[in-house]
Amino acid sequence: MKKFLFRLYLILMKFVASFSKINSKSIVILNGAGRSGSNGYLFAKYMKKNHSDYEVTVVEPWPSSHLSFSIWRKIGQAEFIMTTHQPFKIHSQQINIQFWHGVPLKRMGIMANNTERKADLRNVKLWQKNADIVCSSSDLYETMMSACCAIETSKYQKVGFPRIDVLKKPVITKKQLLHDLFKQVDDQAQIGIYMPTFRYELEDGQIIKQIKAGNFLVLPDFDIEELNQELKKQHRYLLIKLHPYEQQLVGNFTSQYSQIAFLNDDYLFKYECDLYELLGATSFLITDFSSIYFDYLALDRPIIFITNFLSQYQKKRGLLIGPYPEVVPGPCVKSQKELVAVLAARDDYQAKRHYWYNLTNQVQNISACEAIFKLMNKD
């Protein structure tokens, strides 16, 4: 019922906004990605710094039923509407540039196991009607996106993604991260980050219960004191960045341990930065089925995959590539014992990382933001 009412709300507000006259050099970015690798937020920062003659409005959170009429007028007036999730625009004359928010790894849309056909077909129509330009990084990206959303090939433009532009240029140093989040000084420090996917959709109450109890890795042999000691031996520090929806459910965590800290959104907002603007200060990534690992390949640093919910996730939603343990460019672990062992082991996955990086990113030596700006001004 809520979804139906929200669709009615959108129809009404689109009608109201349709009376606005389009202004050239006006951009609205509908940002549904928060500060977790938001192409929209990062492109807005680029535009405000390099092309101040454009009026750029970032609307967040999006979608929302609490936007003011003045914001809806700006959406109706924009020459370009840029989206991080479903494509959207008011007038047919407006140009929608679809950034999306990650290389698809999990099945979605018409490919997913847990969606309704009626909603999937409605989504396909939205892409066909509203998406004018779909930013892309590779043929593989286009194949996976089209498999899920039936996007026509003519819509794709290989211009890359703004979030990749900032990966190698961290705005917060490793030294500052150690000081701010761990209260430590360590010349040998290696900071890793753990970023899980959207585990709530598994509809397993025990998972969220364990997270709330402090078992953020949701491993059967989890022992935070032991993990902290093992990390300390290796001069490793672990940042925990929960999925935004999980963070809403459990709230902001704090840690009393020397080697473990939680990266909450308030830290990112404090420094007016996106998560990707500090990833370059990290030395390794731990994830499960989050597509962040495709982006992290640009840093060519070790990636570890926690797969104790693999079969459950494949059954509930499904993955677009597999068999998962064979194709991912890093070791897979199912317990804390295995995780600790892998952290101490030699990295033997560089060649596999390079293979997947070249496969998923065919525009490695360009600025995505500059390429997108040129595309906007192409006659």
Side-chain angles (χ1 to χ4, degrees):
M1 185 63 177
K2 286 184 179 180
K3 290 182 179 180
F4 174 73
L5 291 174
F6 185 71
R7 287 202 300 271
L8 287 180
Y9 163 78
L10 285 182
I11 291 171
L12 174 62
M13 298 313 296
K14 285 178 69 174
F15 175 75
V16 172
S18 67
F19 291 97
S20 302
K21 184 179 179 181
I22 295 176
N23 295 334
S24 62
K25 291 198 171 183
S26 176
I27 299 171
V28 164
I29 295 172
L30 304 179
N31 181 31
R35 294 293 182 273
S36 296
S38 172
N39 288 309
Y41 174 73
L42 292 167
F43 186 73
K45 289 184 74 171
Y46 162 84
M47 290 297 296
K48 291 174 181 179
K49 179 180 179 180
N50 297 282
H51 302 284
S52 58
D53 53 324
Y54 278 76
E55 180 188 5
V56 181
T57 302
V58 178
V59 179
E60 55 184 358
W62 175 267
S64 172
S65 58
H66 302 287
L67 302 179
S68 66
F69 282 106
S70 62
I71 291 295
W72 277 107
R73 280 197 296 271
K74 284 184 177 293
I75 296 174
Q77 292 169 353
E79 180 181 11
F80 296 96
I81 295 184
M82 301 175 169
T83 46
T84 62
H85 287 67
Q86 283 187 328
F88 183 90
K89 61 184 180 181
I90 304 293
H91 306 281
S92 59
Q93 308 99 294
Q94 291 177 312
I95 300 172
N96 173 259
I97 299 180
Q98 173 57 246
F99 287 142
W100 202 237
H101 51 278
V103 178
L105 168 64
K106 302 178 289 290
R107 290 176 180 245
M108 59 184 183
I110 56 179
M111 286 290 288
N113 298 330
N114 59 345
T115 55
E116 298 178 0
R117 179 171 175 77
K118 185 177 180 180
D120 292 340
L121 294 178
R122 183 167 56 245
N123 189 53
V124 166
K125 289 180 181 178
L126 283 175
W127 280 91
Q128 293 173 345
K129 179 182 178 182
N130 291 334
D132 297 299
I133 296 171
V134 180
C135 297
S136 166
S137 60
S138 66
D139 294 335
L140 180 62
Y141 177 83
E142 294 169 15
T143 299
M144 293 193 291
M145 285 293 291
S146 290
C148 296
C149 302
I151 303 167
E152 300 98 323
T153 187
S154 60
K155 294 182 182 292
Y156 291 108
Q157 292 287 337
K158 286 187 178 67
V159 290
F161 304 112
R163 64 182 184 268
I164 305 301
D165 286 354
V166 304
L167 269 181
K168 296 180 181 179
K169 306 170 185 176
V171 299
I172 300 176
T173 64
K174 180 172 69 173
K175 182 178 180 180
Q176 186 177 346
L177 281 177
L178 277 175
H179 174 268
D180 290 350
L181 299 174
F182 297 94
K183 313 302 180 190
Q184 299 284 336
V185 176
D186 185 347
D187 293 337
Q188 301 179 57
Q190 293 187 60
I191 301 177
I193 187 165
Y194 170 59
M195 292 189 62
T197 192
F198 184 33
R199 294 173 289 187
Y200 182 75
E201 71 176 334
L202 289 174
E203 298 177 352
D204 185 339
Q206 289 300 312
I207 293 176
I208 299 300
K209 186 177 180 180
Q210 289 185 66
I211 294 171
K212 287 182 176 180
N215 183 0
F216 48 84
L217 295 173
V218 196
L219 290 172
D221 58 343
F222 182 75
D223 185 325
I224 193 168
E225 293 188 3
E226 181 182 313
L227 177 61
N228 191 73
Q229 287 302 313
E230 292 295 337
L231 291 169
K232 191 172 185 178
K233 290 177 186 177
Q234 301 178 33
H235 290 271
R236 293 183 188 269
Y237 299 80
L238 186 60
L239 281 174
I240 312 300
K241 181 67 174 77
L242 298 178
H243 187 279
Y245 193 84
E246 280 185 5
Q247 191 169 316
Q248 288 180 25
L249 290 174
V250 302
N252 283 354
F253 274 138
T254 57
S255 170
Q256 306 301 317
Y257 295 90
S258 61
Q259 316 300 116
I260 298 169
F262 289 89
L263 179 59
N264 299 314
D265 285 346
D266 53 2
Y267 184 80
L268 300 173
F269 279 95
K270 175 184 176 181
Y271 288 101
E272 296 183 345
C273 69
D274 183 89
L275 170 67
Y276 275 49
E277 293 181 283
L278 58 79
L279 281 183
T282 65
S283 300
F284 61 95
L285 167 70
I286 302 174
T287 187
D288 48 7
F289 319 115
S290 171
S291 65
I292 186 178
Y293 88 78
F294 286 117
D295 297 337
Y296 203 79
L297 292 172
L299 295 173
D300 191 19
R301 295 169 192 172
I303 306 171
I304 301 169
F305 298 86
I306 295 179
T307 57
N308 56 323
F309 289 107
L310 177 58
S311 59
Q312 191 175 348
Y313 213 97
Q314 287 177 320
K315 182 178 179 180
K316 183 66 180 179
R317 180 167 176 175
L319 300 174
L320 287 170
I321 59 174
Y324 195 67
E326 295 180 24
V327 299
V328 292
C332 294
V333 301
K334 295 182 179 180
S335 67
Q336 181 172 305
K337 182 180 179 180
E338 292 177 349
L339 174 62
V340 169
V342 163
L343 284 170
R346 187 180 69 178
D347 170 33
D348 291 325
Y349 287 87
Q350 187 177 60
K352 202 168 185 179
R353 288 198 299 271
H354 290 179
Y355 171 81
W356 278 101
Y357 180 50
N358 292 329
L359 199 61
T360 56
N361 193 334
Q362 295 172 231
V363 285
Q364 298 173 15
N365 299 312
I366 69 169
S367 163
C369 288
E370 289 180 14
I372 292 165
F373 177 73
K374 289 178 182 177
L375 190 62
M376 291 165 52
N377 290 274
K378 188 177 180 181
D379 293 331

